[in-house]
Amino acid sequence: MNSHEIEKIKQVDQIMFNLAESKDFKANLNKAVRLLRQTKLAKNPATEQDLINTYIKDIHKRIPLNVIVHFNMDVLEYYANSSDNLKKNLARECQTNFKKYALIVLRFDDQIATWQNEKSGADYRDAVQHLDQTRTNIHNACLSDIKIINRMAESDGLPAFADTKNRNLTRTDIGQAIVKLGCEETIANLQP
């Protein structure tokens, strides 16, 4: 793949990951299908459903398998629907940050591999450094969101949003769980 195709697939990811909140589900899905037709990901599929199925298969390949952190989505939904605007905004910010992180990680390796072939040494290093810093910043925001929501849940007598206490979890463990969550939610919204 080249950078142009990666950018189209990233646009498709953006549309697909936000499809559930879309005001015009069908129009956005059609836009994603048009973009998919222009990439190597989809090789002359017969129907729109074939394109969607191809996309879903690609996402399934990218879901981390050994996820050891699980999120209690009922807790997040509770706060996302709260009458307390501060708690509601924190929950929605968490949802947004989780999506941003999943989106950047989803195509991270492809992006780097493409740049390796297309960019010179200094340009390649700068691009990778910027992408990695962006990923790190979003990951840090997600970690902060998890801590805040866990504290709110504890204070409100709810179960933990993410069981992260008394465990030797790494940043990668939590990152993989965030990516898995984002991918699975997206796939669920695309199932017929």
Side-chain angles (χ1 to χ4, degrees):
M1 272 195 254
N2 61 37
S3 288
H4 185 67
E5 289 172 323
I6 295 280
E7 287 307 314
K8 285 186 188 228
I9 291 173
K10 286 169 62 177
Q11 288 176 17
V12 170
D13 292 336
Q14 188 73 35
I15 293 167
M16 298 298 207
F17 269 67
N18 292 297
L19 208 52
E21 295 86 32
S22 166
K23 291 185 180 175
D24 193 344
F25 185 93
K26 187 67 174 163
N28 285 318
L29 186 58
N30 286 336
K31 181 178 179 182
V33 166
R34 279 193 310 275
L35 288 166
L36 269 175
R37 281 198 170 102
Q38 299 169 14
T39 69
K40 288 183 182 172
L41 184 63
K43 296 177 178 143
N44 299 321
T47 67
E48 286 182 1
Q49 191 57 52
D50 289 340
L51 278 165
I52 293 167
N53 291 342
T54 299
Y55 179 77
I56 290 171
K57 284 179 191 172
D58 181 65
I59 296 298
H60 271 294
K61 288 186 230 171
R62 296 168 188 278
I63 296 175
L65 299 176
N66 298 323
V67 174
I68 61 172
V69 176
H70 300 282
F71 297 104
N72 185 335
M73 295 309 292
D74 291 338
V75 171
L76 191 60
E77 280 300 312
Y78 174 82
Y79 288 122
N81 296 313
S82 175
S83 59
D84 181 324
N85 284 333
L86 178 62
K87 291 178 180 182
K88 182 188 295 188
N89 290 337
L90 286 168
R92 290 189 178 163
E93 182 180 319
C94 177
Q95 291 168 322
T96 299
N97 286 335
F98 274 33
K99 269 187 201 174
K100 284 180 183 178
Y101 185 73
L103 283 167
I104 201 165
V105 170
L106 196 60
R107 304 296 168 186
F108 190 84
D109 292 337
D110 293 338
Q111 187 78 67
I112 289 174
T114 299
W115 286 341
Q116 239 175 350
N117 295 323
E118 294 178 356
K119 294 184 181 287
S120 67
D123 289 341
Y124 170 75
R125 281 189 301 280
D126 290 345
V128 170
Q129 182 180 9
H130 176 73
L131 183 63
D132 190 46
Q133 188 60 53
T134 301
R135 178 184 65 165
T136 299
N137 291 343
I138 295 169
H139 192 253
N140 288 341
C142 291
L143 294 173
S144 178
D145 293 338
I146 291 167
K147 287 178 185 174
I148 291 168
I149 293 174
N150 270 347
R151 283 189 204 124
M152 286 189 323
E154 184 178 2
S155 172
D156 292 338
L158 297 173
F161 170 53
D163 182 17
T164 58
K165 291 183 178 181
N166 302 323
R167 296 171 70 185
N168 293 325
L169 297 174
T170 66
R171 290 174 58 88
T172 301
D173 295 331
I174 296 170
Q176 288 177 335
I178 293 168
V179 172
K180 181 178 182 185
L181 176 68
C183 290
E184 287 176 344
E185 285 184 355
T186 298
I187 289 168
N189 291 328
L190 296 173
Q191 298 294 344

